[in-house]
Amino acid sequence: GGNLDRKLIYSRFKAVKSFRPTGDDRDNIVFTCCAFSGDGNFLMAGTSIGDMKMYNVSSGDETTYQLHESSVTNIQPSRDNKLVLTSSSWRQPYSKLWSVGEFLDEKCSFAEDEYVEFSKLVQDKLIGTRTEGVATVYDMHTGKLVRTLRPRYYNDYHFNRACFDPTDELILCDGVLWDYRMQKEIHKFDKLNQNLSGVFHPSGLEIISNTEVWDIRTFHLQRTVPQLDQCRIVFNTAGNIIFGLQLEQEYDDEPKFETSFRTFDCSDYSSIATIEVKKSVIGLCPQWDDMSIGVVEQGSNDAIESVVRLYDVGRSRDTEEDQEDGGEEEEEEGDDDGFTDDDDDDDDDDMQDDDGNDSLFGSNSDSNDNWGFDGSGDEDEEEYNMEDDDFDAGEEEQDNDETADDQDNVEHADNMEDNDNVQDNGDHDSNDDNWEDIEVEEIPFQED
């Protein structure tokens, strides 16, 4: 049952809000990544010029922070909202740790670490990624380097990112598995692709590297998932759904991103859905409660438009409109840039005006019976004719019922008069209307 629920929920996404850069240089700003704050009230978006845009999810207010001198490639806030990690593409220091208050204050910088992230179980450590498959671990309280894990042989993946397992006891970096406690190299997995080094499954028992799923207990290849080929993996907060984002690909000597993202079930790696957004998907982040996701989208036209769009999980525009319109079969096409609140509000206002002026059902109709017609088509005439036919049929049936009741009353009156004649021994002077005052009960026969 749970698997079916997840497949239904994560096959439906509805765009509800869009966040675009503002200011004089907005045409030159391209979003590169995004992340929700720990409480979900803010959406952070990195840009190609080294800034971070922080948006209030409710009001849409924008705040800009200058973080790096090059494109921001990763943003990760801590769960308690007190710290933020950021990484950039080039020019040292590559990564920084910021304390969150009224402003963002730089707390520590990591000159050689191209990528940093928090530990999984307890966010008391940082793990960094350097060249040649080297992983570094820092203590959060002291800011000191406590581990440098350098492999004997490294795989040199193009998109290598060191990470902890869910228990913070194992480390994976460049296809090499390490024991953090013993500072020991455990196993080096075979390199079967050039780009993705791998991530830990939320269960902690498997490693996903491109299409290959490795069993940590036996180091054997457990299965392959062809649909994950060249997909960057993002897990939802609950750890039961995989979001797959295609890496940048070369098409006709021009780098391009796919215009869709995919969802998979973590339990069996089955594909759930492919969500087409009609724009290049650059990044994706789930909210802490898994109710929404943020997607970095970029247009592919001459005028490049970059936007971070907020999607509600488990809602589809088709289903919602069917319920609101009382089962309406035909729907209007949505705009190319997704479904927005403003468009939905306008549609609702139009329907409300039609109900108030030309509504067929009037004030006694159900609020869900909105048919969406404009009052001038053949459909309206047919509805009115059907209503008139039903009304005439109802009148005819009511007349037939009244006629049958009158006949029953006449027969009942005749029977009562016969009883009166028997009781009065043939007295013919009794009033014909006395049957109306006689109570309906059995009268015994009496002899003189």
Side-chain angles (χ1 to χ4, degrees):
N3 291 344
L4 296 178
D5 291 341
R6 287 195 297 271
K7 291 181 183 297
L8 176 63
I9 293 172
Y10 284 93
S11 63
R12 301 179 175 186
F13 296 87
K14 180 176 181 178
V16 292
K17 287 187 178 180
S18 299
F19 301 97
R20 294 176 173 84
T22 59
D24 297 336
D25 58 345
R26 60 181 178 272
D27 294 335
N28 300 324
I29 295 177
V30 176
F31 289 126
T32 56
C33 58
C34 64
F36 283 99
S37 60
D39 55 8
N41 294 329
F42 295 91
L43 181 62
M44 307 173 186
T47 69
S48 58
I49 61 175
D51 293 344
M52 182 182 75
K53 302 284 187 179
M54 183 178 291
Y55 295 96
N56 187 305
V57 174
S58 300
S59 64
D61 295 338
E62 175 187 313
T63 306
T64 303
Y65 300 96
Q66 177 65 41
L67 304 182
H68 296 274
E69 297 182 7
S70 61
S71 177
V72 178
T73 58
N74 182 65
I75 298 175
Q76 184 188 12
S78 61
R79 289 191 288 261
D80 59 5
N81 274 340
K82 295 182 179 180
L83 300 171
V84 175
L85 283 172
T86 61
S87 301
S88 61
S89 57
W90 58 277
R91 188 169 295 179
Q92 295 183 358
Y94 294 124
S95 301
K96 295 181 180 180
L97 175 65
W98 306 83
S99 61
V100 180
E102 186 176 356
F103 302 98
L104 284 182
D105 297 324
E106 183 178 338
K107 186 175 181 180
C108 185
S109 62
F110 311 94
E112 300 181 16
D113 295 290
E114 300 175 349
Y115 172 83
V116 290
E117 70 174 42
F118 291 106
S119 53
K120 297 291 196 308
L121 184 61
V122 180
Q123 293 185 338
D124 59 350
K125 296 182 288 293
L126 300 178
I127 183 168
T129 305
R130 296 183 180 180
T131 59
E132 298 182 351
V134 176
T136 55
V137 181
Y138 299 87
D139 187 279
M140 284 284 297
H141 303 291
T142 63
K144 294 182 178 181
L145 179 64
V146 295
R147 292 282 194 279
T148 299
L149 307 177
R150 190 181 304 274
R152 291 174 295 177
Y153 305 99
Y154 60 93
N155 289 316
D156 195 22
Y157 286 100
H158 295 164
F159 298 97
N160 175 40
R161 291 185 170 184
C163 59
F164 277 100
D165 80 323
T167 64
D168 292 343
E169 295 178 355
L170 300 176
I171 291 176
L172 180 67
C173 181
D174 202 41
V176 179
L177 185 64
W178 296 84
D179 189 327
Y180 169 74
R181 299 163 298 179
M182 300 177 60
Q183 199 171 348
K184 177 182 177 182
E185 182 178 338
I186 300 176
H187 183 74
K188 179 179 179 294
F189 294 95
D190 294 336
K191 182 179 181 180
L192 301 180
N193 77 98
Q194 296 293 327
N195 294 320
L196 300 166
S197 61
V199 294
F200 286 99
H201 188 280
S203 66
L205 301 177
E206 299 167 343
I207 290 176
I208 308 171
S209 178
N210 196 39
T211 61
E212 294 76 43
V213 179
W214 301 91
D215 192 325
I216 296 179
R217 296 161 293 187
T218 62
F219 307 131
H220 291 166
L221 181 62
Q222 188 172 7
R223 70 174 76 193
T224 58
V225 186
Q227 295 88 344
L228 287 175
D229 186 30
Q230 301 304 309
C231 282
R232 182 163 59 88
I233 289 177
V234 178
F235 295 102
N236 68 337
T237 306
N240 52 22
I241 293 295
I242 298 174
F243 295 97
L245 284 71
Q246 281 282 341
L247 296 176
E248 189 176 16
Q249 303 292 327
E250 293 285 345
Y251 295 102
D252 298 332
D253 297 332
E254 181 180 355
K256 291 183 179 180
F257 288 91
E258 291 290 334
T259 60
S260 62
F261 63 91
R262 307 188 67 174
T263 54
F264 300 85
D265 194 321
C266 273
S267 62
D268 56 5
Y269 299 94
S270 60
S271 178
I272 297 177
T274 299
I275 295 85
E276 176 64 44
V277 300
K278 300 181 181 180
K279 293 184 179 181
S280 298
V281 178
I282 311 299
L284 183 147
C285 64
Q287 203 170 19
W288 67 272
D289 57 1
D290 289 333
M291 299 295 292
S292 303
I293 61 171
V295 180
V296 180
E297 302 176 7
Q298 180 176 312
S300 58
N301 299 329
D302 294 337
I304 297 178
E305 179 189 14
S306 186
V307 61
V308 179
R309 208 176 303 278
L310 189 66
Y311 290 85
D312 278 352
V313 178
R315 294 181 60 192
S316 66
R317 185 175 189 270
D318 297 341
T319 303
E320 295 295 329
E321 287 190 350
D322 285 345
Q323 293 177 354
E324 293 174 1
D325 296 343
E328 180 180 353
E329 294 182 358
E330 295 183 358
E331 300 174 348
E332 297 181 356
E333 292 292 335
D335 295 336
D336 293 339
D337 59 351
F339 313 122
T340 61
D341 289 338
D342 293 337
D343 294 338
D344 293 340
D345 292 341
D346 293 339
D347 295 340
D348 295 339
D349 293 340
D350 294 340
M351 287 185 179
Q352 186 174 3
D353 293 341
D354 293 341
D355 292 341
N357 298 330
D358 299 329
S359 175
L360 172 63
F361 300 99
S363 59
N364 293 330
S365 63
D366 191 357
S367 60
N368 289 333
D369 293 330
N370 299 323
W371 296 91
F373 299 131
D374 58 2
S376 61
D378 296 337
E379 293 88 346
D380 288 334
E381 295 179 0
E382 182 179 356
E383 293 297 332
Y384 279 103
N385 293 334
M386 290 176 62
E387 187 73 14
D388 293 340
D389 294 340
D390 293 341
F391 181 74
D392 295 340
E395 284 187 346
E396 183 178 356
E397 182 178 356
Q398 184 176 1
D399 293 340
N400 293 334
D401 293 340
E402 291 178 356
T403 303
D405 292 340
D406 293 340
Q407 293 177 356
D408 293 339
N409 291 336
V410 171
E411 293 177 358
H412 181 67
D414 293 340
N415 293 334
M416 295 303 297
E417 286 183 2
D418 292 340
N419 292 335
D420 289 341
N421 292 335
V422 173
Q423 181 178 0
D424 296 338
N425 294 325
D427 187 5
H428 299 283
D429 294 332
S430 60
N431 190 357
D432 294 338
D433 297 332
N434 287 340
W435 62 272
E436 296 179 354
D437 298 331
I438 296 176
E439 295 181 359
V440 180
E441 62 180 3
E442 183 179 356
I443 300 176
F445 180 78
Q446 297 178 357
E447 295 181 358
D448 293 335

